[in-house]
Amino acid sequence: MSSFQIIQGGMGVGVSNWCLANAVARQGQLGVVSGTGIAIVLGRRLQEGDPGGHMRRAIDAFPIRSIADDILKKYFVEGGIASNQPYRLPPMPLVKPSQAFIDLTVLANFVEVWLAKEGHDGVVGVNYLEKIQMPTLPSIFGAMLAGVDYVLMGAGIPRSIPGVLDKFAIGEAATLKIDVTGDETGELSTSSFDPNDLFGGPSKAPQLKRPKMLGIVASSTLAMALAKKSNGKIDGFVIEGPVAGGHNAPPRGNYEFNVRGEPMYGERDEVKLSAF
């Protein structure tokens, strides 16, 4: 049987943040930041004046100065916006995203991971949702650019992500099929990202460490399917039990609700750890 370890969860946007992950990693455990929606979070932190200067410190470490300067110009507000002033909204995610969206997403993931890894030799992971697909490629590259050690993904079956990690590690472009209802051929719903475009041309992107890939699963059946059908190596699994909350799978078969309106789980929902 493989060894098991309890890790800090990482899907509370702005809660499973760099501060928490940094503290956990300093204790010798795997600290995990949430990468979902982090572009929005970075934009708002900068518009709030970046108290403590943490965002700007990480942005200063970003290797592409032109992108860093552009984001600061667009979003940073000295002293913060007024309480009655609306935030500047980031670009919308699209299957074919704008360059502004790509730049902000890459930088935001870099910043969160860089801060989580700052000042220690521990390990840091980043967590994404398979079901939120359009930001995935630039998000992963930004995290890898900051040296992320693990990529964790659940809320679906992330079969294509190991191959993305392999491509980005050697500075090559990667593609990802976006699930679009009615697009049977996939011709209208393939997202692509080439790190060389950020760095000014072919073969300009750096070679990066390939982070380990952890699939988040709620059953041994799903784990085995992910291990066999992925386009690259799955390095391990995060196993969610029925009390995990959040977006874990519903109970199997017909189920009832308790007095609080929560679904009631049974023996069929227990994860068989002996199968791993």
Side-chain angles (χ1 to χ4, degrees), residues 241-261:
V243 296
H247 52 76
N248 59 310
R252 295 185 180 183
N254 297 324
Y255 58 93
E256 300 177 350
F257 295 92
N258 61 22
V259 294
R260 295 188 297 273

Side-chain angles (χ1 to χ4, degrees), residues 171-189:
E172 293 186 358
T175 59
L176 184 68
K177 186 180 183 303
I178 306 299
D179 295 327
V180 176
T181 300
D183 183 20
E184 302 299 335
T185 65
E187 294 179 0
L188 303 177
S189 53

Side-chain angles (χ1 to χ4, degrees), residues 22 80 152 167 188 248:
N22 189 293
L152 301 83
K167 290 287 190 179
L188 303 177
N248 59 310

Side-chain angles (χ1 to χ4, degrees), residues 14 45 51-52 55 106 131 165 207-208 221 230 234 236 239 248 258 267:
R45 287 171 177 166
M55 301 301 106
V106 170
K131 292 184 180 296
L165 304 182
Q207 305 284 296
L208 301 173
T221 301
S230 295
I234 299 291
I239 304 166
N248 59 310
N258 61 22
E267 290 185 8

Side-chain angles (χ1 to χ4, degrees), residues 56-69:
R56 285 168 290 167
R57 185 172 70 255
I59 289 173
D60 283 343
F62 191 68
I64 307 173
R65 191 67 246 173
S66 59
I67 292 177
D69 290 341

Side-chain angles (χ1 to χ4, degrees), residues 66-138:
S66 59
I67 292 177
D69 290 341
D70 181 61
I71 298 302
L72 286 172
K73 182 179 179 180
K74 287 179 178 177
Y75 294 96
F76 178 63
V77 177
E78 187 72 47
I81 60 175
S83 60
N84 62 347
Q85 181 180 350
Y87 289 101
R88 175 174 182 164
L89 297 177
M92 289 291 291
L94 301 168
V95 175
K96 310 296 183 184
S98 66
Q99 191 61 48
F101 175 82
I102 291 172
D103 291 349
L104 180 60
T105 302
V106 170
L107 180 62
N109 281 269
F110 175 91
V111 165
E112 200 73 5
V113 172
W114 190 92
L115 289 169
K117 291 181 68 67
E118 184 183 26
H120 62 83
D121 296 323
V123 290
V124 167
V126 62
N127 194 347
Y128 301 111
L129 299 175
E130 166 67 15
K131 292 184 180 296
I132 301 180
Q133 298 175 309
M134 288 186 284
T136 296
L137 293 179

Side-chain angles (χ1 to χ4, degrees), residues 158-166 210 213 230-234:
R159 299 185 184 95
S160 300
I161 301 305
V164 170
L165 304 182
D166 294 337
R210 195 271 196 190
M213 171 69 192
S230 295
N231 63 355
K233 183 181 180 183
I234 299 291

Side-chain angles (χ1 to χ4, degrees), residues 2-22:
S2 303
S3 62
F4 293 89
Q5 181 182 27
I6 297 176
I7 65 174
Q8 167 237 333
M11 199 31 73
V13 178
V15 177
S16 295
N17 62 14
W18 67 269
C19 299
L20 178 58
N22 189 293

